Amino acid sequence: MVQAPERTASAPATTDPDGRDETSMTFVDAIQGTLRDVMRADDRVVILGEDVGRRGGVFRVTADFLEEFGDDRVIDTPLAESGIIGSAIGMALNGLLPIAEIQFLDFIAPAMDQIMNEAARLRYRSNNDFHCPIVIRAPFGGGVHGALYHSQSIEAMFVHTPGLKVVVPATPADARGLLLAALRDEDPVLYLEHKKMYRSIRGPVPAGDEIVPLGVARLVREGTDATIITYGLMVHEATLAATAVSEETGASIEIIDLRSLKPLDERAILDSARKTGKVLVVTEANRPCSVASEVAALVGEEAFAYLDAPVMRVAAPDVPAMPFSPPLEQAFMVGAGQIGTALRRLVAF
Amino acid sequence: MVQAPERTASAPATTDPDGRDETSMTFVDAIQGTLRDVMRADDRVVILGEDVGRRGGVFRVTADFLEEFGDDRVIDTPLAESGIIGSAIGMALNGLLPIAEIQFLDFIAPAMDQIMNEAARLRYRSNNDFHCPIVIRAPFGGGVHGALYHSQSIEAMFVHTPGLKVVVPATPADARGLLLAALRDEDPVLYLEHKKMYRSIRGPVPAGDEIVPLGVARLVREGTDATIITYGLMVHEATLAATAVSEETGASIEIIDLRSLKPLDERAILDSARKTGKVLVVTEANRPCSVASEVAALVGEEAFAYLDAPVMRVAAPDVPAMPFSPPLEQAFMVGAGQIGTALRRLVAF
Amino acid sequence: MATEPIVAPDHAIQRAFQPGAALANGASDPDDLGPVPIADPLTATVAPASIGDAGLPAETLRQMYQALVRARSLDQRIWQMNRIGQAPFVVSGQGHEAAQIGAAFALDRERDVLVPYYRDLALCLAWGLTPADMMLSVLARAADPTSGGRQMPGHYGSSRLRIISGSSVVATQLPIATGVAYAAKLRGTGQVTIVTFGEGASSEGDFHEACNFAGIHRLPMIFFCENNQYAISVPQSLQLAIDHVADRAAGYGFPGVVVDGDDLLAVYHAVAAAVAQARKGDGPTLLEAKVYRYTPHSSDDDDRAYRDQDEVKARRARDPVRLFETRLRDLGLLDDEAIAAIQRDINREIDDATEAAEAAPLPDPATYDRHVYAGG
Amino acid sequence: MATEPIVAPDHAIQRAFQPGAALANGASDPDDLGPVPIADPLTATVAPASIGDAGLPAETLRQMYQALVRARSLDQRIWQMNRIGQAPFVVSGQGHEAAQIGAAFALDRERDVLVPYYRDLALCLAWGLTPADMMLSVLARAADPTSGGRQMPGHYGSSRLRIISGSSVVATQLPIATGVAYAAKLRGTGQVTIVTFGEGASSEGDFHEACNFAGIHRLPMIFFCENNQYAISVPQSLQLAIDHVADRAAGYGFPGVVVDGDDLLAVYHAVAAAVAQARKGDGPTLLEAKVYRYTPHSSDDDDRAYRDQDEVKARRARDPVRLFETRLRDLGLLDDEAIAAIQRDINREIDDATEAAEAAPLPDPATYDRHVYAGG
Ligand SMILES: Cc1ncc(C[n+]2csc(CCOP(=O)(O)OP(=O)(O)O)c2C)c(N)n1
Ligand SMILES: Cc1ncc(C[n+]2csc(CCOP(=O)(O)OP(=O)(O)O)c2C)c(N)n1
Ligand SMILES: [Mg+2]
Ligand SMILES: [Mg+2]
């Protein structure tokens, strides 16, 4: 029998099984600590990718892992993304729990075939005889002078692909909780890390092994007049915008952090839309067929009778991602200013 | 100077320059005839792909081209999609007008990197110094017992990618007109052929060299009570459904065939939505982040005040494309029945 | 579906698999199998001497013959069913059987992992799928064990038999196989992984990336190329600029071996040597069996446009099933009566399989959205 | 931006390029260039005898030296600008210059096509981009001719100079280069296409697919691998299971050649031979220059974690710029005074370029959405 392992056995060893200890740490440290805990707790977990070993990852997420876990479990692969994901799938099929790193989401395209046609479709095509418990980590997003090829936000392509799950933490706590959940999921999960948040975002992180379940959105702040629905770095930009607009207009703004793009928390989205009657969806990605389009379409379809204004979208323009030169980058990148402008229109509607 | 050619020189030789001669022919013959005209008219046009020469394509779209045009211009490539698109890009950069065939849209994933990161972004990244006039043809769509890997409709991924254009003809006349337009466009165009239509759809085709401009939708039938917006094979299914529902309820149904998914004809979409106040968007693809999501979001955003009902979507379920066994395939595939059910709900709203 | 825990909690991971595991299938020490014959497939004559070298018991040779005839007969039946409209789509491995059976018998089918492609009816049959299984798949029945009727026929898979489910996408199985082999090595399971593919697949980037990774980590695996000279219509001369896919191994740091795929025992020898090398920890082999595809690419294809039918005839005249039959006759291991008996049994088995599949229910349409995710 | 019509309306396509075109750059018949030296980069000593074989005029040798120093000096200046916070991101080719200059001079820079990668500052400079162009790009100014400040520095391109614009995606340039070469062959332009890449890039599927296509069609092109032993932090031993990327050519039916990339003239010889072969219609060459990367991978990298700094020191001691300088001194073609004069001119040119770029305006933010499509 060749078979992917069951996830149930793998709870990370932790000094605080109740998860009540919380330490404030950066986003990157939350990810690193969680990866380390899981590597320690379960020898079936392996990490593979370009520069993940000797270099500890180009963002140093796996710094010193090679020393602790050895080069059998921390694999500096050749420069070949399709090979990385393909071998991760094979490892999972034969008893390991691989975490594959794609160095930048921009470079996932060569692996699209393995992700879409193999990982995502394996369970379905085999009528549940096989499954594919892999986690793919990738830094994404802009605003770091990464230019066209180190700034992309192409998560919508994966949200469009049944069989995958896609998560995007916006806080260090969710970084841990979602990663733990992804690592216990029986299906392939794409785990996206906004690279601008690695060292700029800090927050409390529980030490325990409590997961943040996939498919459950987070209420960032409650409000009654309008809702912003977003994810990733845009949660922080939206919060800035909402604070400014609230102060200015007295409007009470609700913010929902999707966290999980697939499965979507449709209930949380619709409940909030029905409550406030005004929805702004924000994504850093290009607009057409984006996650913002999906959420907007969903709200328009299922909460129509409750809407007091059109569902608005703020998204990147339909321009190939992110020019390098700072004035161009700023013009391209979605931020609090642009979100605030849309929000003011929505509130005034 | 290394530079892609200008398109302006290439008008196909035709016996009927006014384009008033119309012959009734199948969808596949319209494509084949157009390709042949263009190959005859302009020696810079080359066709490359798997089995396009000796076999004339697995759907016989390029049957006998090898004999007429020689193996320098009709290139049976190795089995390597990234190589096919990559070389097409290079050919275009050095003076040829390549038409690359991907044997099934399902097999385009290995070329995603070349399409997304190279073809689509070349003009922008070089600040207009280079451009990439290639046409990529690919059969797509289901309902032909093609199972998971010969039925996919993943056009949304390309619609999400700025720098590309995406067209989907639904009639033999549009097959010709859009192909001519694609072949004269200065930018990369993905030209999708619904494989179920090749020999089942027939219609008049003008012989001339008149193009159907990219970005202009087609009004399939006028109506006043509700609008169906769709493309590809679904145009025909929607027509069946509309006819049935009209007869049943007396409702007057407008149908818009998008034809061009990128650029989208936003004006045609919004004009019709504002007129009828009720919109149903239909796609054969998986729903999340689909073209149906985009159109629904757009209508909800820009025609909100005119809507008398929620914008509804009919799409494939979020299941990895198309099982093989007929009962499963039928359950999965979007058709007139399912469209009719949604339309009845919409009309009655 | 439960999986044994594979690494001890005290981190005692086995860094390499156990060497010295015995070869299955009655073969004696694989190191004693003698030299690997390499032959021009169109001119080589099969040297009966190699039989003596094989060190195989008569019983094994007879089993090989039975497996060969079973595969050919089943394949022909499936093809016929398509031609008379009973099966909408089929793909055939006729002409590849000796290569596949030779390979199957050289591996440990109770332990090793098979990552096949759509031509591997004979290989998967020898590996444990039954004609009944195959017929359920051909007729897309609910009980089809490989996909419940969801995939086209020819997409073999079974976790129980360690046959990895494949897609239709050419060459994606190769990096997956390297991952399987990596896990086998890390976990010390002693498994050898064999992955099969056509010469056309060797043009895909995935072939390169898989071989490269396997070479670097000296993975216990075999890249088994069934070179039938065509990828649908594209001849080898437009697929490669070299004579042998096996020559590509030079770029990956492991041996490349060419073998006459019509010669079952030659393939057996070559694969057994590769298995021995892999099991010893000495890394992968790229093994290329020169075969020929007797049928069009699939039931949807017509090969007359692109393939000289004289070429087809010439290759069919060198049928590997007949070649092996003649050998065993010459060795006195088979006679008319034995052959007839074997064929009779096989025909009955295939008849039964067909009837059972025809009687089996189609999938329930309501199940079309099951198993997208766990628990769904 | 207009393009000459490239095929006559009467279908008179030239089926192959014109052979016999003269080599540019003062080289005599490339067939007379003598054997290609292949050397272990760490142990080889450069045999001055090869200079005589080169058949190069003193003036060309001096131009080569000037190009070498110009590239090194500019590269160092750019790196310094990053270190003092004047340039947010830079990537360096220090250590690769002799290989790149040797290659550039062996091609016809007025006609051939260059498909470079991000380490090719020296090559692109020799091909016609100027220090002023480079500085505009480093400072992401509107007038940056390669991208108008849209791409990171190191993403060279110019249609006027036949330098194909590249992305940051490793190895995608390789299939594109084969297409360029295919068009050159079909149109009969006589162009040779050179595409450059690192040894890490040779692991990508795109490398394989490009080489395979080039071999089948015997395209007039050179695959020029600048093997610096690291892909960011990944050492060659984890990138390949073989010693030489060039050995992969065996899988594609054309020659693979290894050359000491610290030896400018050795590279010149090797590339000239490959150019001659390509121009004659005899197809591609995979040429591997053994070089070393003096800096970290980019200004964002710190190589101390993964690279023994003694190794770096040892390789820096064998600096190709100094090696070539010594040669020319030994030949009496350079002395202290000439060297100082060259350096002085170059410094002034770089100072001017820097000042001009600093004074040049940044892109207008309103232009961020221009040029997604034609006319836009
Ligand atoms: C990525 C991909 N591209 C194209 C196809 C269509 N296709 C299916 S089989 C095949 C030919 C395969 O040839 P080869 O690898 O030699 O195997 P053979 O069929 O000859 O055994 C092609 C082009 C596919 N299935 N997947
Ligand atoms: C497809 C892709 N994967 C990963 C990266 C990140 N990356 C940029 S350069 C590089 C290493 C390249 O090494 P090599 O090809 O040897 O060239 P070198 O930088 O050593 O000259 C990597 C991994 C990328 N740009 N593209
Ligand atoms: Mg083949
Ligand atoms: Mg390198």
Side-chain angles (χ1 to χ4, degrees), chain D residues 22-333:
Chain D
L23 256 194
N25 308 320
S28 56
D29 181 350
D31 286 336
D32 291 337
L33 288 176
V36 174
I38 298 182
D40 174 339
L42 283 172
T43 61
T45 53
V46 178
S50 66
I51 292 227
D53 297 343
L56 292 172
E59 190 40 37
T60 305
L61 293 170
R62 276 200 212 90
Q63 283 169 6
M64 286 171 162
Y65 175 74
Q66 199 265 1
L68 209 51
V69 177
R70 195 162 170 249
R72 170 64 59 86
S73 303
L74 178 61
D75 197 319
Q76 285 175 331
R77 178 74 63 90
I78 290 172
W79 192 260
Q80 277 162 16
M81 286 169 65
N82 169 269
R83 296 290 117 156
I84 61 174
Q86 284 175 359
F89 175 88
V90 304
V91 60
S92 160
Q94 287 173 53
H96 291 226
E97 297 97 337
Q100 293 178 20
I101 300 296
F105 274 73
L107 283 136
D108 180 350
R109 286 168 278 160
E110 304 296 320
R111 173 164 60 148
D112 292 334
V113 183
L114 170 62
V115 190
Y117 84 124
Y118 48 81
R119 293 229 182 275
D120 288 339
L121 184 134
L123 185 41
C124 292
L125 211 51
W127 209 274
L129 286 174
T130 66
D133 294 339
M134 300 290 186
M135 282 298 179
L136 288 165
S137 161
V138 165
L139 298 180
R141 293 318 206 243
D144 156 29
T146 71
S147 83
R150 290 172 170 202
Q151 292 228 74
M152 290 173 155
H155 291 67
Y156 309 107
S158 163
S159 68
R160 183 178 55 83
L161 296 170
R162 287 152 286 98
I163 301 174
I164 303 287
S165 158
S167 71
S168 308
V169 189
V170 165
T172 44
Q173 73 273 28
L174 291 147
I176 293 176
T178 62
V180 170
Y182 189 95
K185 183 173 175 179
L186 180 65
R187 292 173 49 208
T189 67
Q191 290 161 317
V192 171
T193 299
I194 180 167
V195 57
T196 65
F197 55 99
E199 85 292 347
S202 84
S203 298
E204 285 280 4
D206 269 6
F207 165 85
H208 177 67
E209 299 188 11
C211 289
N212 192 42
F213 189 75
I216 291 165
H217 293 282
R218 299 177 75 73
L219 297 181
M221 66 187 298
I222 298 168
F223 292 93
F224 189 69
C225 179
E226 303 180 26
N227 182 348
N228 60 14
Q229 303 171 47
Y230 291 89
I232 308 187
S233 69
V234 179
Q236 174 171 333
S237 60
L238 289 173
Q239 196 67 247
L240 326 167
I242 54 177
D243 291 332
H244 307 295
V245 173
D247 291 344
R248 298 201 154 150
Y252 310 114
F254 52 79
V257 176
V258 180
V259 63
D260 178 356
D262 287 344
D263 183 346
L264 192 152
L265 291 176
V267 176
Y268 174 84
H269 287 184
V271 177
V275 169
Q277 169 185 310
R279 242 187 267 283
K280 251 192 297 189
D282 289 346
T285 302
L286 172 55
L287 219 149
E288 175 183 11
K290 304 285 194 183
V291 297
Y292 198 77
R293 193 189 81 203
Y294 288 180
T295 63
H297 171 70
S298 73
S299 56
D300 282 353
D301 184 32
D302 179 351
D303 61 337
R304 285 168 302 185
Y306 58 80
R307 214 162 57 156
D308 182 353
Q309 295 303 300
D310 287 345
E311 178 188 290
V312 181
K313 235 182 260 163
R315 285 303 303 253
R316 271 185 180 272
R318 197 173 178 271
D319 187 332
V321 180
R322 294 290 85 80
L323 281 184
F324 195 66
E325 185 179 302
T326 307
R327 269 192 180 196
L328 297 206
R329 273 183 196 272
D330 291 351
L331 286 169
L333 297 177

Side-chain angles (χ1 to χ4, degrees), chain C residues 49 57 121 186 193 277 279 318:
Chain C
L121 184 135
L186 180 65
T193 299
Q277 168 186 312
R279 242 186 266 285
R318 198 173 178 271

